[in-house]
Amino acid sequence: NGELLVPFRTWRNTITGEAAAILSKEFNFNIPQRWSVAHLYQSILSGEEHVKDIAYMTTLSGYVHWQLTGEKVLGVGDASGMFPVDSNLNTYNPRMLRQFEQLIAGKNYNWKLEEIMPKVLTAGDHAGYLSAEGAKLLDPTGTLQPGIPMCPPEGDAGTGMVATNSVAPRTGNVSAGTSIFAMVVLEKELSRIYPELDIVNTPCGKPVAMVHCNNCSSEIDAWINLFKELLENMGQNPGKDELYSVLYNKALTADPDGGNLLSYNYLSGEHITGFEEGRPLFLRKQNSSFTLGNFMRTLLFSTLGTLRIGMDILAQEQVRIDRLLGHGGLFKTKDVAQQLMAGALNVPVAVMASAGEGGAWGIALLAAYMQNKTYGETLEAYLDQKVFAQEALSFIAPKAEDVEGFNLFLRRYKAGLKIEKAAVENY
């Protein structure tokens, strides 16, 4: 009947460890816990009642697109986070589909996996029209008319790649908001499987190494709300943008390593560091330099700790990155997160003027590409020549003291994971 069988599950529902491990071994391909197939197989292993009744399974972007158009389709980038995609075919990997069907053969469900997932489309494909029902969802007054052409839906990973012009090999971007992840378009396959790295696809189907971390800015937001409450109780009412700007910029006046402070922003688990649950923590020693600047620098460093651990694997694989672009809410305060990230990852980082609105800007560009591309024009060429040709990029190169300071922080961060583990077990 088109109704949800179970509540929507997000990347923070880290409940699929058993299924992800079995599928990764079966496919010889890393299946992250958050992927749709892991959630489906975990539901099967757990004997959840709804599985026999499934008619359709999709992502959030795919669900919205279905409601607006009636089309059960998905862009290849988002589809590659449901089930592994064959980059040569730009559709779900046929071998792995067969292996999954063999795994569940004894269950006698009246569906096959390929039948309950969206059809895969690539950038530039036509993905239907806004329907009369969809138009009413967007505008109950009836002013908005149906018939608007729609491009394949993508999630924030795919739209972020487009918004930062990072769809060609050796380009990369970091999306930093509620979660943080780096996407690096590969020239060749990695030498082996890494549980810390997801292999997904660009909206036009090229393979991408993705370092995905569940936690980013939520812990900083919580502290800034606390400061805001304090100021309001003192009769002041600073704007939130002003408060972020003042506090973020204090981080640039701090000691390079953050004054021997330590923070974990784990509101939920982090698979890269082996946590299924998290506890936000802030720690200091008696002789730590506990200043506002060091406090803010350490909070910002904590958003980058797990990401750096994953990026170090790409460095070991000698993956080359010509440029790294940042987007998402963490970059709204000019220069601060950009400079700290350049030092943390030891690579020049650029931020575009649209940095804070990556998803909305990216999907608009994909719609424009579908509508306006010339015959044979690739997405890479369209973005390079027609969208970003005049874009002034603001690159910040890593500073030696920032690189050294973050490396000191990272040593504390890795050693302190035992403290985080104790917090999860005891609080």
Side-chain angles (χ1 to χ4, degrees), residues 86 110 168 214 225 239 262 312 333 360-361 407:
D86 185 320
N110 62 359
N214 289 343
N225 284 333
L262 183 57
D312 280 347
T333 299
W361 173 228
N407 286 340

Side-chain angles (χ1 to χ4, degrees), residues 146-204:
I148 299 169
M150 304 277 276
C151 70
E154 286 285 1
D156 54 1
T159 57
M161 283 187 274
V162 173
T164 55
N165 194 17
S166 302
V167 294
R170 289 170 56 169
T171 63
N173 78 88
V174 175
S175 174
T178 310
S179 65
I180 187 168
F181 53 86
M183 312 283 291
V184 179
V185 186
L186 300 174
E187 294 181 279
K188 57 184 178 64
E189 290 185 3
L190 302 179
S191 65
R192 65 179 182 85
I193 297 169
Y194 294 94
E196 301 90 347
L197 301 178
D198 309 343
I199 302 301
V200 292
N201 295 78
T202 70
C204 42

